[in-house]
Amino acid sequence: GENVEQHPSTLSVQEGDSAVIKCTYSDSASNYFPWYKQELGKRPQLIIDIRSNVGEKKDQRIAVTLNKTAKHFSLHITETQPEDSAVYFCAASMRGFQKLVFGTGTRLLVSP
Amino acid sequence: DTEVTQTPKHLVMGMTNKKSLKCEQHMGHRAMYWYKQKAKKPPELMFVYSYEKLSINESVPSRFSPECPNSSLLNLHLHALQPEDSALYLCASSQDEERTEAFFGQGTRLTVV
């Protein structure tokens, strides 16, 4: 089955810096790659996603890139703000939400 | 309305108790999910209901018993739990199990004493 690895496990940046979180997946059949943000004690929230027919997607300060050949995808956050502090999970699926496999999570801390 | 509502928000139960977690959505979604999330870990899929029928059981112990009384409601019945079952239990729904857009509820923080 699918296996998703995520790095780093923790990431500390200064406000205004950029943050990059990387994930690799094992199953070349995976075609959907979402990123979730989870603040302490709250639900995971979808912040951006990408499908295998697209190489890059951007939404304001957040972007995701996908390299199908290498089987890895990355989350890029620019101009980080303290409210970006949270745990971020990547995920991969070959068949809808029911087959979503999550990465292990990255705790991002943005210091003012 | 894009809300998935879970009750209760917090629950403390003894190992001999029987309790139920509830999840409700009114988006017309026909797939509903239960996840378990331990601290500092990703959510782990427990059950999937599709059109009110159980379609996936990820080898969950029988002390967890899911129920889908209708297309808007999903319950998780708990009995004889262990302290290691303490976790955040998340419900989610999607239009159907093949779709990728899904919404999580706020979760129930369960503590087994």
Side-chain angles (χ1 to χ4, degrees):
Chain A
E2 176 64 277
N3 182 50
V4 179
E5 295 189 359
Q6 184 172 346
H7 299 281
S9 57
T10 59
L11 180 58
S12 294
V13 300
Q14 293 289 318
E15 183 177 1
D17 288 350
S18 294
V20 180
I21 303 170
K22 298 182 179 182
C23 289
T24 59
Y25 61 100
S26 60
D27 195 327
S28 57
S30 289
N31 56 18
Y32 175 65
F33 308 92
W35 286 89
Y36 289 86
K37 175 184 180 182
Q38 189 174 26
E39 297 176 29
L40 189 63
K42 296 193 175 180
R43 77 184 91 188
Q45 290 197 296
L46 179 69
I47 56 171
I48 195 166
D49 57 12
I50 193 167
R51 296 182 187 276
S52 58
N53 58 347
V54 176
E56 183 174 359
K57 185 176 178 181
K58 193 172 182 180
D59 182 3
Q60 299 183 347
R61 297 186 296 109
I62 294 172
V64 57
T65 58
L66 171 65
N67 183 327
K68 285 192 297 183
T69 303
K71 290 191 282 189
H72 66 70
F73 56 112
S74 300
L75 178 71
H76 305 254
I77 306 175
T78 58
E79 301 171 22
T80 53
Q81 301 167 3
E83 51 265 38
D84 294 329
S85 296
V87 178
Y88 291 80
F89 292 102
C90 64
S93 174
M94 69 183 78
R95 192 183 160 205
F97 188 76
Q98 63 168 335
K99 294 296 184 185
L100 210 58
V101 176
F102 286 89
T104 49
T106 296
R107 182 171 299 279
L108 175 64
L109 177 62
V110 181
S111 303
Chain B
D1 181 7
T2 58
E3 280 291 319
V4 177
T5 303
Q6 289 187 243
T7 55
K9 287 188 171 47
H10 301 275
L11 178 63
V12 179
M13 62 184 290
M15 289 188 282
T16 58
N17 291 160
K18 286 185 181 181
K19 295 286 184 184
S20 297
L21 309 184
K22 296 186 185 302
C23 175
E24 190 168 4
Q25 56 86 17
H26 296 287
M27 295 177 278
H29 288 176
R30 304 311 298 270
M32 296 185 76
Y33 311 80
W34 280 116
Y35 281 85
K36 173 182 178 180
Q37 187 177 25
K38 301 282 277 185
K40 301 183 182 180
K41 298 289 187 183
E44 296 175 35
L45 184 64
M46 300 174 72
F47 303 104
V48 180
Y49 270 83
S50 178
Y51 292 84
E52 294 119 72
K53 287 184 171 28
L54 183 65
S55 65
I56 294 178
N57 176 343
E58 292 286 1
S59 303
V60 179
S62 60
R63 57 186 185 268
F64 295 91
S65 176
E67 179 196 21
C68 189
N70 60 56
S71 60
S72 300
L73 291 174
L74 186 64
N75 298 322
L76 186 62
H77 302 298
L78 314 172
H79 174 53
L81 294 193
Q82 303 297 311
E84 58 265 30
D85 296 321
S86 299
L88 179 68
Y89 288 84
L90 292 160
C91 174
S93 72
S94 62
Q95 190 167 352
D96 58 54
E97 58 190 343
E98 300 284 334
R99 302 296 179 103
T100 53
E101 184 181 28
F103 297 88
F104 280 98
Q106 289 281 18
T108 293
R109 175 73 58 189
L110 174 68
T111 303
V112 181
V113 297

